[in-house]
Structures are given as C-alpha cells and as structure tokens.
C-alpha cells in the first residue's frame, strides 16, 4: 500500500507515516462514530417530527441566546429557505422565540423557550454521556488529540467560528 504524504508527531515520538489504508479506516471510523453520536438524539427528534437541522439550530441558539437569524445562517452554512423552514416549525411548536431587534428592527433574535431548553438538555445529555464514556475509555491524551484533529480538519473560517463560540476550555 502506498504511503500517504501526511506525517504526524507526538511529544518526541518518531514520525508516524499514515498509509492510505490507515486513513481509509480513520474515515470509516468517523462515519460510524457519527452514526453512534447522533443515534440517541435522532430517536428523540424523530418523536417530535424533527431532524438534525432542528438539533443544530437548537444547539447554537442555546450556545448563543439572542443570536440573529443571519448569524445562525453563517454558523450552520445552510440556505435561508432551509433555515426558515426549521425555525418556523420550532417557533410554531413553542421551542424557540423570535424577538425583533431593539437597535435594528429588521433583525430577528432567537431564544429557546423553557420547552426548547428542556429539549436541548435532553439532546445534549445523550451526546455528553456518549462523549464522556468514550473519553474516559480513551484517556486524557486522546481527548486533547481528538479535539486537535477535529480542529485541523476544519476550514479556517470554521475553526475561527468554533474557537469564538466555545467557552475557554482546554
């Protein structure tokens, strides 16, 4: 199998050259891990007639109460039409509240209602539980390495958004 041109180093260890087969296995592991990571929330969302787009909107509205529709569009990278469909259902179902901006009346600011916050807690707890268990099994070095790999896979703008949106947790 030909060797990939990618090399990684860790704390003084020798270079580890990844083969195409090792990279393929990592890609497949990500696919299966993502299926596991989303399985519990998907079941909860399905009962409400929601999908992953609803979950992402709820997550980021929770992380940044009062965020604007335009900011959410930028974070999610979806079309305005797609986001409007998602927001319309969340607002109609009483999960999200949309308030007109005080400085700019054209802006809509988004907040989770009590019911929306309760759903967000359920969805997040399912995912935190899975992540917590995986991180405990893998160990502390794997936790920081995993996050580093994920950040390096992001485009620069996505990395900037991620770093700007998170709490200062190392």
């Amino acid at each position: 199998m030909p060797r990939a041109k990618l090399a990684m180093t860790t704390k003084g260890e020798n270079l580890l050259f990844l083969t195409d087969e090792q990279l393929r296995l990592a890609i497949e592991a990500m696919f299966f891990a993502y299926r596991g990571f989303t399985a519990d929330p998907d079941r909860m969302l399905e009962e409400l007639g929601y999908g992953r787009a609803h979950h992402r909107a709820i997550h980021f509205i929770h992380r940044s109460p009062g965020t604007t529709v335009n900011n959410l569009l930028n974070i999610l990278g979806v079309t305005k039409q797609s986001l409007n469909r998602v927001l319309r259902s969340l607002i109609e179902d009483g999960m999200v509240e949309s308030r007109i901006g005080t400085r700019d009346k054209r802006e809509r600011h988004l907040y989770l209602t009590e019911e929306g916050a309760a759903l967000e807690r359920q969805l997040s707890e399912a995912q935190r539980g899975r992540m917590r268990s995986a991180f405990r099994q893998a160990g502390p070095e794997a936790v920081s390495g995993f996050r580093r790999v994920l950040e390096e896979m992001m485009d620069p703008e996505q990395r900037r958004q991620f770093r700007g949106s998170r709490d200062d947790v190392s």
Side-chain angles (χ1 to χ4, degrees):
M1 187 95 355
R3 294 201 178 264
K5 296 194 187 241
L6 176 63
M8 296 180 3
T9 60
T10 58
K11 296 184 184 177
E13 293 178 8
N14 293 332
L15 290 177
L16 169 65
F17 292 94
L18 298 175
T19 65
D20 287 344
E21 178 64 12
Q22 289 169 312
L23 292 170
R24 185 190 64 73
L25 288 172
I27 291 166
E28 286 182 14
M30 278 193 63
F31 285 135
F32 285 109
Y34 185 72
R35 278 181 54 191
F37 180 70
T38 57
D40 296 327
D42 282 352
R43 281 190 288 277
M44 291 179 222
L45 292 162
E46 187 177 11
E47 290 175 13
L48 298 169
Y50 295 156
R52 290 182 186 165
H54 295 85
H55 185 187
R56 288 188 292 270
I58 288 169
H59 174 84
F60 285 105
I61 293 168
H62 169 75
R63 291 286 289 152
S64 186
T67 191
T68 63
V69 172
N70 283 336
N71 188 50
L72 196 56
L73 275 169
N74 187 36
I75 290 170
L76 298 177
V78 298
T79 65
K80 194 170 191 174
Q81 182 180 12
S82 174
L83 181 58
N84 282 336
R85 247 190 326 269
V86 166
L87 290 176
R88 188 173 26 258
S89 65
L90 291 172
I91 291 167
E92 287 173 0
D93 294 347
M95 299 288 180
V96 170
E97 180 182 347
S98 175
R99 300 180 196 161
I100 296 173
T102 55
R103 286 181 290 193
D104 185 343
K105 302 291 183 198
R106 295 170 298 177
E107 285 186 338
R108 291 188 299 154
H109 295 267
L110 304 169
Y111 300 86
L112 293 182
T113 63
E114 285 186 36
E115 191 175 353
L119 176 59
E120 190 283 329
R121 277 190 302 276
Q122 289 177 317
L123 297 169
S124 291
E125 186 50 45
Q127 290 182 315
R128 280 192 304 270
R130 190 174 289 263
M131 292 289 283
R132 188 178 295 114
S133 175
F135 283 157
R136 280 189 181 134
Q137 292 297 315
E141 288 180 7
V143 173
S144 61
F146 175 73
R147 191 173 77 201
R148 171 100 192 262
V149 168
L150 292 177
E151 286 188 43
E152 291 301 323
M153 289 175 58
M154 297 174 195
D155 291 335
E157 175 61 18
Q158 294 168 329
R159 192 176 306 116
R160 186 195 63 72
Q161 286 178 328
F162 170 71
R163 289 178 178 165
S165 71
R166 65 187 176 137
D167 297 331
D168 193 30
V169 177
S170 296

